[in-house]
Amino acid sequence: MLPLAKASDSVWPSGSPPGYERRRPELGTLHKVVRENLQTLLSAAEQGFAGAPLPDFVRAELEGYVHCGLLQRGFALVACRDCGERHLVAFSCRSRSFCPSCMGRRMAATTLNLLAHVVPSVGLRQYVLTVPHALRARLAYDGRLLGAVSRIFVDSVLGWYRRRMEIEGAARGQSGAVTVVQRTSADLKLNPHMHLVALDGVFVAGSSDGKPVFHALPRISDTAVADLLQVIRARLLRYLIRHHVVEDDEGETRFLADDLQEREPALAQLAAAAVAGLPPAGPELRRKPLTVVLPASDGPKVVRPLCIEDGGFSLHAASRVGAEDDLGRTNLFKYVLRPPIAQEHVTLTEDGLVAIQLKKPFRDGTVSVEMDPLSLVSRLAASVHPPRFHSIRYGGILAAHAKLRPFVIPPPPPETTTAPGAQDACHSLPMAKPPKPRPATHRCGYVPWQRLMQKLGIDVETCPRCGGKMKVIALVRDPQGIARYLRHLGLPTEEPSMAPARGPPFWQSRVLRRRYGEPPDAAQA
Ligand SMILES: [Zn+2]
Ligand SMILES: [Zn+2]
């Protein structure tokens, strides 16, 4: 049991240490909305949809979010080794789906790791691929299909680099890519799409010392992007036909039903609604099945410069950052790894709807989307990744087994392999022992004692007072210990309560889009 400080020599005279502001997730709008509607969604699924409950992984993720960051669920006591500064760090849900805090931290850590250990200092270009509506719900819950689609996308882009650079005189070149799957659009509609960050050119193995030389891709045109999209689309359709996801019926590409409806009826309905942007039940739900025919190609269309649409697929290739642009590179990876929803963009309107402010307006001028709270929680539920889903993949020269990879990734900074107690750049926890030398391709490792910390989502940071290293000195997990400690510090011992399930009718069935410059009452459904 952890010894408590006496009231007179309390470590924090004011209840919290100076300069340290603990995150208070329970005060945010998103947290409140989930807390007040989660039980209703669970019971609506069971009674309302197909008489089937939502699967456990969805439920666990939503409940995990409600408990994330609450001191009443347990915490670590951390202290600064240098100045003795102390504070409490609550356990995190470690969500990989939507928790803005956990995903925000993951975004920052992964960006740091990619730039320090994986991505060479060459120009980078982002390619974003979206697929037709009819495919989205299926892709969202079929990990194998999603894996295949992302592999085809990566192969097509890397092959395209090889062919184009051959024309430029760089034969047998190899590019590389980091691909991130995002599951939703900015308005939280279910829309699995891929962000691929490619090395904008190819590496060619050097003749004398074997060290590869980079050849950058010259400017690209809309025609080049349109050609690439046609390659990707043709390869994807061939794959989908071969694997009986769609069938080609006299020139019409029909979508074949999958077994999600039978396996997980509630999830299937939730997914279909989240793709269409409708509530999963209520008067607005059209009971006819979702579009079954893939749109036919009427030739590639230039939507914006370097952004092409063709038969329901779209490819965007306009974002590029230079080799020297450190801020641009950081922002690019943060963008592709960002959480689907930002805490500060969710607000409650006067008429009880939840508004999501879009960071970038949609093409039709929509700047915010409003929906009833239960619809928002339904969309969050659809945004939860199925288990064992890998959202980041490495391809080409950046793949783990690529022969040239050790020659192109950034060289290790000298202190990460020599200094005892040095920090691994991908984890902010100090290491217990000097790290063992590891091959250059596998510098991102874990030391055993960190496992528990990671399981509990505890991240020790730099001391806010002196900049020293914070260290976990105790974990408080038993309810009595937690209550005793919180009472001592004058903090609430009761966690914020979850609202009980409400009865039907569940959905107000209103989703509004606000456009720039429109008066509030002109919002359109
Ligand atoms: Zn300190
Ligand atoms: Zn969390």
Side-chain angles (χ1 to χ4, degrees), residues 396-441:
I397 206 166
L398 298 183
H401 51 80
K403 254 217 284 256
L404 293 181
R405 187 181 197 268
F407 297 101
V408 303
I409 58 173
E415 68 271 26
T416 56
T417 48
T418 51
Q423 230 187 304
D424 197 317
C426 18
H427 315 293
S428 49
L429 290 167
M431 289 179 174
K433 287 181 205 142
K436 280 194 206 119
R438 273 165 285 180
T441 42

Side-chain angles (χ1 to χ4, degrees), residues 23 64-65 67-69 91-95 98-103:
R23 169 172 89 83
Y65 167 69
H67 300 149
C68 178
F91 303 151
S92 300
C93 70
R94 298 187 315 138
S95 157
F98 70 85
C99 174
S101 157
C102 293
M103 290 194 68

Side-chain angles (χ1 to χ4, degrees), residues 122-129 157 160-161 194-201 217 220 222 225 304-308 315-322 325 328-329 331-333 335-336 338 360:
V122 298
L124 304 172
R125 189 180 291 276
Q126 180 189 211
Y127 296 83
V128 186
L129 177 72
V157 173
W160 177 81
Y161 267 100
M194 275 149 249
H195 291 249
L196 180 154
V197 178
L199 312 180
D200 201 21
L217 177 80
I220 56 171
D222 290 334
V225 181
R304 279 188 307 275
L306 303 185
C307 180
I308 313 289
L315 182 65
H316 184 293
S319 313
R320 187 188 185 280
V321 289
D325 183 359
R329 294 160 73 81
N331 286 342
L332 175 61
F333 281 111
Y335 175 75
V336 305
R338 73 198 184 283
K360 215 165 71 187

Side-chain angles (χ1 to χ4, degrees), residues 103-104 106-127 176-180 182 195-199 319 321-322 325-339 392-394 398 410:
M103 290 194 68
R106 190 164 165 261
M107 165 187 80
T110 310
T111 299
L112 208 73
N113 180 44
L114 285 172
L115 292 174
H117 296 314
V118 180
V119 179
S121 299
V122 298
L124 304 172
R125 189 180 291 276
Q126 180 189 211
Y127 296 83
V178 178
T179 311
V180 177
Q182 281 187 8
H195 291 249
L196 180 154
V197 178
L199 312 180
S319 313
V321 289
D325 183 359
D326 288 341
L327 182 64
R329 294 160 73 81
T330 305
N331 286 342
L332 175 61
F333 281 111
K334 277 175 135 175
Y335 175 75
V336 305
L337 293 160
R338 73 198 184 283
I392 304 177
R393 293 154 203 263
Y394 302 94
L398 298 183

